[in-house]
Amino acid sequence: MLRELSRTVADWAHTAYSKSEVPEAALAAAGEHLIDTVAVAIAGIGEAPVDSIRRATRTRGDTGRFALVLGTAAHALDYDNAQTPSLVHPGCVIVPTAIAIAHEGPGSGAHDLLRAIAIGEEISLWLGETAVTDGNSILFERGFHPTAVCTPIGAAVTAGLLRGLAPEQLAHAIGTAASLSGGILEGNRTGGQTKPMHAGFASTAGVLAAELAAAGATAPPTALEGRFGFLQAFLGIDPAEVRWPSETAGAWRIESVTTKPYPTNGFTHSSIDAALQLRAQGFRLEPGAALRIGVAEPVLRTVAFPEAMKYAPPTAYAARFSGPVVVAMALLGGSGLGVGLADFDRENAMDERILAAARRVRFEADPEATAAFPDRVVAFAVGIDSDGGQYRVDIDTGRGSPGNPLSQRELRTKFDDCVMPRLGMATAALWETLRASINGDDTACAAVISTLAEHFG
């Protein structure tokens, strides 16, 4: 039986941070996540969940509020990064946490920020992967949002490291964050503003947990593995079966995160990839044509049901979770990298031409796709045009994943898609400042944090 896992995690994190033991590849990934998260957060500034958060907390001006608003904005458009098989979105929580703490002015430099981000994401992803058994995430099956459950703990570590907490204090921050974890996924199916807020809740929870630990607040030493601890309460698994990352060899989990090419639910991405390839082959979703897409059975619950909502989404945000609608967008010719932010302007997303094309798309469970899930979210598409011609595309490795990463040109296209509508001509300057930051320029890093504080603080 594992004992005091919180302290084991805290010791590992403190050593990796203080002795600069984070691998270069993990630091490089953290840098890319910083840039990507800043971009998607700027794009999310004016979204309804962000406005609601701002109005509800308008009398507050603390670090926790900064993290809350920035985290919510980063997840507001579902354009932020994600990982399989954990189904955790790490960047939208850990990066805002690091930025909010760094804005306090404790003297952390660019390299400190990247180390703290890499470590916080690693812990979050480890917890998310721990939840994966029998081909699916226990959290997902129970209706929990893996991001909302797992990242508060990673965020607490990121905040604690940047605040200079000792290992014992970090362990208490971890234990406190475990009591702040939670969030349900029903918003994926039926809407509402809550789901994007999960990232903000998790980020501010991490900040609060670290602040409490710094103030002397204690947490159960067995908050993770105890009889009523995190692993039992959320996952119902035997803690003795859990292996902490330091016991395993190989690359850090942060290196396995996908940078999203499209501002839609991640379960739709392989289907969008298929649609874009079908379009390149000449397939058109005209009257009389039909398209069938096979996906993993658990994926159907998010992208295909309830059917009435998926074929006629009530809002542009809900359209991001509709497999038929986003596939129709891709086949009719979308913006960005094939489907972009401009496609979710309310008038575009609700356009009858798109909705009519969406009604010609049918999603169904595929045994091979189900067997691959959640390690891979694959799609098998068969299109039949109005003349009876048949087209087929199989997507085994999604665009933006480690096996099929976005090029620098594609990353810049996404960045511009996010930032240009908000910052206009200042977009290029912010891109260069961010690139300088991840290369260790402390002045550039401070400038980025200051810019974000102006928008989100």
Side-chain angles (χ1 to χ4, degrees):
M1 181 74 160
L2 292 174
R3 295 183 59 202
E4 300 189 3
L5 186 54
S6 295
R7 183 56 188 266
T8 300
V9 174
D11 286 343
W12 173 84
H14 191 271
T15 297
Y17 180 79
S18 62
K19 295 186 177 181
S20 299
E21 293 181 352
V22 180
E24 286 299 320
L27 289 174
E32 294 298 336
H33 296 183
L34 172 64
I35 293 175
D36 188 63
T37 303
V38 167
V40 298
I42 289 173
I45 286 175
E47 294 301 303
V50 182
D51 288 342
S52 295
I53 288 286
R54 280 181 146 160
R55 287 195 299 272
T57 61
R58 61 184 177 275
T59 60
R60 293 176 56 189
D62 60 3
T63 302
R65 180 180 186 270
F66 189 6
L68 176 63
V69 175
L70 183 55
T72 301
H75 198 44
L77 297 168
D78 233 79
Y79 215 173
D80 50 296
N81 63 25
Q83 190 245 24
T84 55
S86 70
L87 309 181
V88 167
H89 296 249
C92 64
V93 175
I94 306 304
V95 171
T97 302
I99 289 172
I101 294 295
H103 185 248
E104 288 183 349
S108 300
H111 284 128
D112 299 321
L113 203 70
L114 295 183
R115 287 201 309 279
I117 289 171
I119 292 167
E121 288 199 21
E122 186 68 15
I123 291 168
S124 301
L125 295 172
W126 162 68
L127 288 168
E129 289 190 4
T130 297
V132 178
T133 62
D134 298 326
N136 203 358
S137 167
I138 299 170
L139 293 170
F140 180 69
E141 279 300 306
R142 292 183 176 183
F144 284 116
H145 188 184
T147 301
V149 173
C150 299
T151 59
I153 292 171
V157 173
T158 292
L161 292 172
L162 290 171
R163 286 190 60 125
L165 298 190
E168 182 177 357
Q169 293 173 304
L170 272 181
H172 289 304
I174 288 169
T176 298
S179 282
L180 297 172
S181 293
I184 59 172
L185 270 176
E186 187 62 15
N188 274 10
R189 300 181 67 254
T190 56
Q193 294 183 14
T194 308
K195 194 260 189 181
M197 295 178 183
H198 288 172
F201 296 161
S203 186
T204 197
V207 169
L208 176 60
E211 289 175 341
L212 287 168
T218 60
T222 53
L224 295 183
E225 75 275 15
R227 170 64 183 84
F228 299 112
F230 180 96
L231 297 174
Q232 292 279 13
F234 282 109
L235 309 179
I237 63 175
D238 182 355
E241 299 176 1
V242 176
R243 298 183 66 195
W244 170 241
S246 63
E247 300 174 12
T248 62
W252 280 34
R253 288 165 177 80
I254 188 175
E255 299 170 46
S256 66
V257 173
T258 291
T259 297
K260 282 190 170 186
Y262 319 116
T264 67
N265 176 261
F267 287 168
T268 69
H269 283 206
S270 55
S271 300
I272 293 173
D273 291 341
L276 292 173
Q277 290 191 25
L278 287 170
R279 179 178 171 81
Q281 292 177 14
F283 176 71
R284 297 292 181 265
L285 201 54
E286 300 167 340
L291 176 60
R292 291 186 296 105
I293 301 181
V295 296
E297 190 278 329
V299 168
L300 287 178
R301 282 169 276 169
T302 296
V303 307
F305 298 113
E307 284 192 352
M309 177 169 285
K310 299 308 177 183
Y311 285 106
T315 66
Y317 179 75
R320 300 174 192 276
F321 295 82
S322 166
V325 167
V326 299
V327 163
M329 287 178 176
L331 280 164
L332 292 172
S335 61
L337 291 171
V339 174
L341 289 175
D343 301 309
F344 292 94
D345 173 274
R346 178 169 177 80
E347 291 185 5
N348 291 336
M350 303 296 116
D351 187 277
E352 179 53 33
R353 188 173 68 108
I354 291 174
L355 297 181
R359 289 192 287 272
R360 302 177 193 121
V361 181
R362 287 291 179 269
F363 277 75
E364 57 190 37
D366 180 272
E368 289 186 39
T370 300
F373 185 83
D375 291 319
R376 291 176 296 120
V377 181
V378 305
F380 306 107
V382 176
I384 300 175
D385 65 22
S386 56
D387 295 324
Q390 185 164 310
Y391 300 76
R392 181 178 177 103
V393 169
D394 296 346
I395 300 297
D396 183 68
T397 305
R399 190 179 184 191
S401 67
N404 186 17
L406 299 182
S407 66
Q408 282 299 309
R409 181 188 62 79
E410 290 172 322
L411 290 170
R412 179 60 189 269
T413 297
K414 176 182 176 178
F415 185 86
D416 289 348
D417 188 40
C418 290
V419 179
M420 187 74 74
R422 296 288 179 188
L423 301 188
M425 297 299 293
T427 300
L430 179 59
W431 171 266
E432 295 302 329
T433 304
L434 281 162
R435 299 305 306 182
S437 297
I438 68 173
N439 287 323
D441 186 327
D442 291 345
T443 301
C445 186
V448 169
I449 293 169
S450 178
T451 297
L452 291 172
E454 291 176 11
H455 290 290
F456 297 100

